Amino acid sequence: MVTAMTSFKRILVGVDGSENALRAVGFAAALAKGFGAEITLAHVIAPSDHDLLVGKATYADKDFKVGGERLKGAERLLEQEGVPFRSTVEFGHPAEQLLRLAEGHDLIVVSTRGLSPFKGILIGSTSTRLAQGSKVPVTIVP
């Protein structure tokens, strides 16, 4: 039995630029306002098939620009809501990177589907992997 109310001070939100991800950001914003929490927006750029074939990452500057573009809608939403936040763009497998970033956070918030639902069928969805591997609570927003 839980005797004390849980407090969230740092919330990690996975963002991929999709409408579903923006719903997750909106949900996290409401929580952050209620708890006085800060949000970390994280966009993870997965290695492309081409990168895997040639064995090296290419166009790193372009990828960070693309990652930043995918964060802009989420950043605007948090600015409008007056919620303090920071943003980061990472490279790697989305679930692995979000689990790594979760250190020091009290909650992870993600959406059920992102930009590439077919890929999720092949390699397992990020939200499922987070729910199974996280040491902090995970909220999955439909």
Side-chain angles (χ1 to χ4, degrees), residues 30 57 75 98 119 135-136 139:
E75 291 171 340
L98 290 171
K119 185 186 261 188
K135 294 178 182 173
V136 299
T139 299

PDB file of all heavy atoms in Angstrom, residues 30 57 75 98 119 135-136 139:
ATOM      1  N   ALA A  30       0.460  18.860 -18.397  1.00  0.00           N
ATOM      2  CA  ALA A  30      -0.548  18.945 -17.339  1.00  0.00           C
ATOM      3  C   ALA A  30       0.005  18.395 -16.026  1.00  0.00           C
ATOM      4  O   ALA A  30      -0.196  18.995 -14.958  1.00  0.00           O
ATOM      5  CB  ALA A  30      -1.814  18.195 -17.753  1.00  0.00           C
ATOM      6  N   ALA A  57      27.977   6.517 -39.110  1.00  0.00           N
ATOM      7  CA  ALA A  57      26.894   7.503 -39.168  1.00  0.00           C
ATOM      8  C   ALA A  57      27.269   8.578 -40.180  1.00  0.00           C
ATOM      9  O   ALA A  57      28.425   8.957 -40.293  1.00  0.00           O
ATOM     10  CB  ALA A  57      26.668   8.120 -37.797  1.00  0.00           C
ATOM     11  N   GLU A  75       8.161  21.943 -28.144  1.00  0.00           N
ATOM     12  CA  GLU A  75       8.709  23.102 -27.435  1.00  0.00           C
ATOM     13  C   GLU A  75       7.711  24.259 -27.422  1.00  0.00           C
ATOM     14  O   GLU A  75       7.523  24.912 -26.385  1.00  0.00           O
ATOM     15  CB  GLU A  75      10.031  23.530 -28.081  1.00  0.00           C
ATOM     16  CG  GLU A  75      11.141  22.528 -27.858  1.00  0.00           C
ATOM     17  CD  GLU A  75      12.388  22.813 -28.666  1.00  0.00           C
ATOM     18  OE1 GLU A  75      12.308  23.542 -29.677  1.00  0.00           O
ATOM     19  OE2 GLU A  75      13.458  22.297 -28.284  1.00  0.00           O
ATOM     20  N   LEU A  98      16.228   6.330 -24.445  1.00  0.00           N
ATOM     21  CA  LEU A  98      15.285   6.884 -23.469  1.00  0.00           C
ATOM     22  C   LEU A  98      15.491   6.259 -22.091  1.00  0.00           C
ATOM     23  O   LEU A  98      15.428   6.959 -21.070  1.00  0.00           O
ATOM     24  CB  LEU A  98      13.846   6.710 -23.943  1.00  0.00           C
ATOM     25  CG  LEU A  98      13.456   7.592 -25.132  1.00  0.00           C
ATOM     26  CD1 LEU A  98      12.083   7.190 -25.661  1.00  0.00           C
ATOM     27  CD2 LEU A  98      13.479   9.071 -24.770  1.00  0.00           C
ATOM     28  N   LYS A 119       7.645  -0.259 -38.613  1.00  0.00           N
ATOM     29  CA  LYS A 119       8.906  -0.608 -37.972  1.00  0.00           C
ATOM     30  C   LYS A 119       8.656  -1.177 -36.582  1.00  0.00           C
ATOM     31  O   LYS A 119       9.326  -2.111 -36.147  1.00  0.00           O
ATOM     32  CB  LYS A 119       9.823   0.613 -37.887  1.00  0.00           C
ATOM     33  CG  LYS A 119      11.199   0.286 -37.346  1.00  0.00           C
ATOM     34  CD  LYS A 119      12.005   1.551 -37.146  1.00  0.00           C
ATOM     35  CE  LYS A 119      12.940   1.782 -38.282  1.00  0.00           C
ATOM     36  NZ  LYS A 119      13.869   2.896 -38.027  1.00  0.00           N
ATOM     37  N   LYS A 135      13.178   1.630 -14.816  1.00  0.00           N
ATOM     38  CA  LYS A 135      13.228   1.601 -13.360  1.00  0.00           C
ATOM     39  C   LYS A 135      12.317   2.667 -12.743  1.00  0.00           C
ATOM     40  O   LYS A 135      12.141   2.706 -11.542  1.00  0.00           O
ATOM     41  CB  LYS A 135      14.665   1.813 -12.889  1.00  0.00           C
ATOM     42  CG  LYS A 135      15.567   0.671 -13.287  1.00  0.00           C
ATOM     43  CD  LYS A 135      16.988   0.907 -12.850  1.00  0.00           C
ATOM     44  CE  LYS A 135      17.855  -0.251 -13.334  1.00  0.00           C
ATOM     45  NZ  LYS A 135      19.280  -0.017 -13.091  1.00  0.00           N
ATOM     46  N   VAL A 136      11.781   3.539 -13.599  1.00  0.00           N
ATOM     47  CA  VAL A 136      10.835   4.564 -13.148  1.00  0.00           C
ATOM     48  C   VAL A 136       9.498   4.313 -13.844  1.00  0.00           C
ATOM     49  O   VAL A 136       9.444   3.628 -14.878  1.00  0.00           O
ATOM     50  CB  VAL A 136      11.342   5.994 -13.445  1.00  0.00           C
ATOM     51  CG1 VAL A 136      12.659   6.262 -12.727  1.00  0.00           C
ATOM     52  CG2 VAL A 136      11.466   6.259 -14.927  1.00  0.00           C
ATOM     53  N   THR A 139       4.369   6.206 -18.480  1.00  0.00           N
ATOM     54  CA  THR A 139       2.991   6.483 -18.876  1.00  0.00           C
ATOM     55  C   THR A 139       2.942   6.481 -20.387  1.00  0.00           C
ATOM     56  O   THR A 139       3.713   7.185 -21.043  1.00  0.00           O
ATOM     57  CB  THR A 139       2.504   7.840 -18.338  1.00  0.00           C
ATOM     58  OG1 THR A 139       2.543   7.806 -16.909  1.00  0.00           O
ATOM     59  CG2 THR A 139       1.090   8.132 -18.793  1.00  0.00           C
TER      60      THR A 139
END
